[in-house]
Amino acid sequence: MAKRDYYEVLGLQKGASEQDIKRAFKRLAMKYHPDHNKEANAAEKFREINEAYQVLSDPQKRQLYDAHGFAGIDGSQAGGGNPFGGGGDFSDIFGDIFGDIFGGARARQQGPVEHPGRDLRAVVSITLEEAVRGVTRKLNVKTYVKCPQCHGQGSKDGSRLSICPQCNGSGQQIIRQGFMTMSQHCSACHGTGRSNPNPCPKCKGDGRVQSQKIVEVKIPAGVDNGDRLRLSGEGEAGLQGAPSGNLIVLIEVQDHDVFTRDGLDLHCVVPISFTTAVLGGTAEVPTIDGATLKLTIKPETQTGTILRIAGKGVKSYNSSQVGNLYCKVVVQTPTNLTEEQKDLLRKFEATFEKKNKEVNTSSTKAKNKDSDKAKEENKKEEKEGIFSKFFKDLKGDDK
Ligand SMILES: [Zn+2]
Ligand SMILES: [Zn+2]
């Protein structure tokens, strides 16, 4: 039989693109694959298609073939006569081209399988204090646990499981669908490859039973909202002694009345009186561990000023880092003032007006400098008097 032109074999024109070649090969190889085409010449056809593809998909070989025909290809092979050269392995091309069709089925795990338990999830809500210092919580978990009677084995009286007669222990079952063959888990043994002629009466052969169990969760100091803890093996028990799943605990930190958290830092608001803001003083600041600190307020502190107390934040659970406590100072406006206090405030305000007037008129009064100076001395005294009385009154009102 005379050799057919490679392009003709694949049903292509000479200038066909790489993509066309691949597509044509895929289509024809599917059609003539000896596994599912039982026609007498299928194998020969498949070989022909494969050979054509081997050459046309290789740019170097294709170039030689285009220039010299079969002579170019044969001549290029050291052994001669074998156009497959060293690369004629069917499975190689298959891995390449059919990875998505056959590869998937082939790559699937063969042989018996285990049925491990699933992971369980739980949410634990804790306070910010608990998050900062750590806490232990007991969770009541309803799940599958190892059967206490057969210890997870699934068989009665510790008798051994035998080989599944339906799949001969392979755990796999071959399904034919048209020309495709697929394997799936054996329906008799669910892929385990074992049969259980004497099932444990308590778990009916599963090796696990539904139950409640108490799981102690140690929540480390420093955890944050949204952190996940993984308790290995505390999830659902596996079937017939297969490994257990894990318990995943999601940490939810409740909002705090005083503190908000940002990473390792804590933030709080510290109210101070109007007088403390002006004259300076101290303010009491609570810490997350229950202590009280004295915060120094400098004179003339503006509302909104943020003061840092180093090392009074949250200690990291995976490093030696410790956050800071940031205190936002907020000046409280005095309320429920008496008429006398209000009057003092008005006088106080008037002192600013006077001061402004003096600045504006001082240039015109340059001549009477000496007498002015004396007057100002008097005013200063007067002003101080108002100040101290006013602040004394306000302080008295302070809680
Ligand atoms: Zn049992
Ligand atoms: Zn089976």
Side-chain angles (χ1 to χ4, degrees):
M1 190 172 114
K3 254 182 148 168
R4 286 206 296 157
D5 172 61
Y6 287 151
Y7 289 101
E8 195 188 313
V9 167
L10 295 181
L12 297 167
Q13 299 293 320
K14 211 173 174 182
S17 71
E18 240 174 86
Q19 196 65 34
D20 288 339
I21 291 167
K22 213 168 181 176
R23 210 177 291 138
F25 170 69
K26 205 165 170 175
R27 182 173 55 81
L28 292 167
M30 287 275 281
K31 188 173 171 190
Y32 291 107
H33 195 290
D35 273 5
H36 41 77
N37 191 323
K38 299 300 170 204
E39 283 172 41
N41 65 344
E44 185 50 43
K45 280 251 191 199
F46 186 76
R47 223 185 134 71
E48 199 184 15
I49 294 157
N50 190 44
E51 182 182 323
Y53 179 70
Q54 282 287 301
V55 172
L56 298 186
S57 64
D58 180 325
Q60 213 179 335
K61 284 183 192 164
R62 185 180 176 183
Q63 203 182 2
L64 286 166
Y65 177 73
D66 284 351
H68 310 287
F70 292 115
I73 297 297
D74 288 346
S76 73
Q77 306 292 331
N82 178 12
F84 284 95
D89 184 356
F90 279 17
S91 61
D92 277 2
I93 327 163
F94 270 34
D96 230 31
I97 293 259
F98 289 117
D100 48 342
I101 303 177
F102 298 118
R106 204 181 301 142
R108 198 198 291 147
Q109 192 191 350
Q110 297 289 312
V113 290
E114 286 193 310
H115 293 284
R118 289 175 301 178
D119 286 349
L120 296 176
R121 276 163 184 78
V123 178
V124 173
S125 181
I126 58 173
T127 63
L128 183 60
E129 282 90 347
E130 287 171 331
V132 169
R133 62 167 187 259
V135 67
T136 301
R137 278 287 162 85
K138 281 183 175 139
L139 295 186
N140 201 341
V141 182
K142 193 180 176 194
T143 184
Y144 282 106
V145 298
K146 233 172 217 177
C147 171
Q149 200 157 315
C150 62
H151 306 289
Q153 198 64 30
S155 60
K156 198 179 174 183
D157 311 326
S159 61
R160 306 205 41 183
L161 302 181
S162 55
I163 287 167
C164 169
Q166 188 157 318
C167 63
N168 257 327
S170 72
Q172 302 292 313
Q173 196 170 13
I174 306 298
I175 303 286
R176 276 180 215 286
Q177 223 168 41
F179 59 78
M180 301 286 277
T181 56
M182 287 181 290
S183 67
Q184 64 177 40
H185 290 164
C186 167
S187 58
C189 63
H190 303 290
T192 62
R194 291 166 302 190
S195 93
N196 192 358
N198 292 309
C200 161
K202 188 166 174 67
C203 63
K204 300 190 171 55
D206 283 350
R208 63 181 191 181
V209 287
Q210 275 224 317
S211 178
Q212 298 263 3
K213 66 171 178 179
I214 306 286
V215 182
E216 210 177 70
V217 186
K218 284 198 173 72
I219 300 166
V223 290
D224 204 349
N225 192 37
D227 281 352
R228 281 181 164 78
L229 303 176
R230 188 169 160 278
L231 280 80
S232 179
E234 290 291 1
E236 199 179 88
L239 267 176
Q240 292 177 346
S244 297
N246 306 312
L247 174 61
I248 313 293
V249 177
L250 176 69
I251 303 293
E252 199 183 77
V253 181
Q254 297 152 19
D255 285 344
H256 196 275
D257 288 342
V258 176
F259 301 102
T260 53
R261 179 170 173 180
D262 177 21
L264 294 179
D265 294 329
L266 292 175
H267 295 258
C268 69
V269 171
V270 177
I272 58 167
S273 72
F274 176 65
T275 40
T276 307
V278 178
L279 303 175
T282 56
E284 288 196 339
V285 178
T287 63
I288 192 70
D289 51 25
T292 305
L293 294 175
K294 278 221 179 333
L295 185 65
T296 303
I297 309 290
K298 284 186 196 151
E300 296 177 6
T301 293
Q302 298 295 336
T303 191
T305 302
I306 292 169
L307 302 171
R308 187 179 74 119
I309 305 179
K312 288 294 172 188
V314 182
K315 196 185 172 313
S316 165
Y317 66 85
N318 52 13
S319 77
S320 57
Q321 264 187 297
V322 187
N324 304 315
L325 174 59
Y326 290 94
C327 307
K328 185 179 178 181
V329 168
V330 172
V331 177
Q332 304 289 93
T333 304
T335 54
N336 300 321
L337 298 184
T338 62
E339 267 316 306
E340 196 197 352
Q341 285 172 320
K342 284 178 192 168
D343 203 44
L344 282 168
L345 269 178
R346 284 182 203 111
K347 280 182 186 156
F348 171 61
E349 186 63 23
T351 61
F352 289 102
E353 282 164 26
K354 250 189 232 168
K355 202 172 164 192
N356 286 342
K357 230 182 250 170
E358 277 156 18
V359 172
N360 291 338
T361 55
S362 60
S363 54
T364 59
K365 286 185 178 173
K367 270 189 258 171
N368 299 326
K369 217 174 177 181
D370 286 341
S371 63
D372 274 350
K373 208 175 179 182
K375 250 189 230 169
E376 265 184 43
E377 288 291 318
N378 286 341
K379 270 175 201 153
K380 204 177 158 195
E381 246 167 58
E382 194 183 33
K383 201 156 59 180
E384 272 170 1
I386 295 170
F387 267 134
S388 55
K389 187 165 192 319
F390 169 68
F391 289 129
K392 219 169 86 191
D393 283 356
L394 277 187
K395 269 189 173 164
D397 199 37
D398 234 6
K399 273 155 254 154

